Amino acid sequence: MKKNLLKIAALAMVSALAVSSLAGCGAGDDASNTASKGTLTMATNAEFPPFEYLEGEEIVGADVDMAKAVAEYLGYELEITNIDFDAALTGAQTGKYDMAVAGITANEERRQNMNFSNDYFKASQSIIVNADSEIKAAADLEGKTVSCQEGTTGEQYLLDNGYQIQSFKTGSEAITALTTGKVDAVVIDNAVAKALSAEQNGKTVVLDEALTQESYAIAMKLGNDELTEEINKALAALKEDGTLAQIFEKYELTVDAE
Ligand code: ARG
């Protein structure tokens, strides 16, 4: 709708220019809402509800809605590719994709190898256990086997703390390992833990303990400061006008007050 208004404004400008000389002023300065500048390619791993997951063939979720809003704001077409999480990270790092949007935690280690947008969501790692488990807190994980998703900060946390781990390509495989008794717990991002656990119909529970403090951001190739700036501009505008809050609300995600 805004686009139409701008078109009308632009037309009005053109007619104004015909009568007087208004060169250099007005609507053209606004980087947003211009006609499509091309395609913004995005890699994700649609195994991470409610941020990105498959609904039939379609990739949906809060990250997807956010990326669509960012692309629209900047005047790009968005092209999403669904791949393994570690491949999405590498894909952004090498520039194979313009960006990776996948609930990616921006941490110091990754910042060595890629650009990150400003943070858009606060998260932590949570523990999922079977409903009848004796594990009630992180302290009870001592000597237990824990599953996680490969290449994630959850895996890194478990390795750093010396746990025995089983890594899977997807969070749902990690949870199947739990419900089938192959592991004692799963460690995964908090909101995703809730979503995946909810699919188990009461067989599993998420413990009320935050193991880490993390922030999600959009990953891009190291040194791609131009796109990083554009994306930051879009994120700020979408935050300001309430679009981001609306998206998170739609997926029942609570954004911490800052
Ligand atoms: N936040 C975690 C990380 O950055 C997990 C992200 C997993 N995302 C996904 N779409 N599978 O390592």
Side-chain angles (χ1 to χ4, degrees):
M1 202 174 77
K2 223 171 181 180
K3 263 187 184 158
N4 286 335
L5 279 179
L6 271 183
K7 259 187 212 155
I8 294 166
L11 279 177
M13 286 282 293
V14 171
S15 10
L17 274 168
V19 278
S20 65
S21 183
L22 289 169
C25 119
D29 297 345
D30 192 352
S32 66
N33 297 306
T34 55
S36 177
K37 287 183 266 180
T39 304
L40 188 65
T41 57
M42 158 179 159
T44 194
N45 170 246
E47 297 285 349
F48 204 63
F51 293 96
E52 45 269 332
Y53 55 102
L54 290 175
E55 228 167 53
E57 301 271 274
E58 204 190 344
I59 307 167
V60 297
D63 277 343
V64 177
D65 286 3
M66 179 183 73
K68 282 181 180 164
V70 164
E72 195 189 359
Y73 179 87
L74 296 170
Y76 291 115
E77 292 292 327
L78 182 68
E79 188 182 294
I80 306 178
T81 306
N82 181 23
I83 47 179
D84 285 345
F85 180 66
D86 40 12
L89 278 185
T90 321
Q93 196 178 321
T94 58
K96 181 170 185 197
Y97 303 96
D98 295 320
M99 61 178 186
V101 190
I104 300 168
T105 301
N107 59 22
E108 280 320 306
E109 204 185 324
R110 289 176 179 164
R111 280 183 201 283
Q112 310 296 310
N113 306 314
M114 45 198 136
N115 268 25
F116 277 104
S117 70
N118 291 331
D119 301 344
Y120 66 86
F121 197 83
K122 291 204 187 330
S124 63
Q125 295 300 314
S126 286
I127 302 166
I128 313 174
V129 292
N130 286 318
D132 58 2
S133 171
E134 308 145 5
I135 301 168
K136 304 285 179 218
D140 305 330
L141 286 181
E142 190 85 47
K144 307 282 192 220
T145 305
V146 187
S147 64
C148 58
Q149 191 186 14
E150 205 170 284
T152 62
T153 46
E155 180 183 58
Q156 198 55 52
Y157 170 86
L158 291 168
L159 291 173
D160 290 347
N161 288 281
Y163 294 110
Q164 257 195 292
I165 68 164
Q166 273 187 33
S167 301
F168 294 90
K169 284 279 175 210
T170 67
S172 19
E173 288 168 282
I175 220 176
T176 304
L178 173 69
T179 53
T180 55
K182 294 193 178 68
V183 299
D184 306 296
V186 180
V187 164
I188 198 160
D189 300 46
N190 53 344
V192 181
K194 276 191 203 143
L196 290 178
S197 187
E199 292 169 9
Q200 304 301 319
N201 303 316
K203 273 200 287 180
T204 59
V205 290
V206 181
L207 300 184
D208 192 18
E209 187 177 357
L211 304 176
T212 58
Q213 287 193 331
E214 306 180 15
S215 295
Y216 295 165
I218 296 174
M220 285 152 284
K221 189 177 179 180
L222 190 68
N224 193 352
D225 299 338
E226 204 179 315
L227 181 61
T228 308
E229 260 172 50
E230 275 192 275
I231 286 185
N232 281 340
K233 200 176 147 200
L235 285 176
L238 296 169
K239 192 171 176 177
E240 175 77 29
D241 75 3
T243 306
L244 283 189
Q246 220 170 40
I247 291 171
F248 293 134
E249 211 170 288
K250 173 175 162 197
Y251 293 94
E252 288 168 24
L253 290 163
T254 17
V255 189
D256 290 349
E258 279 165 51

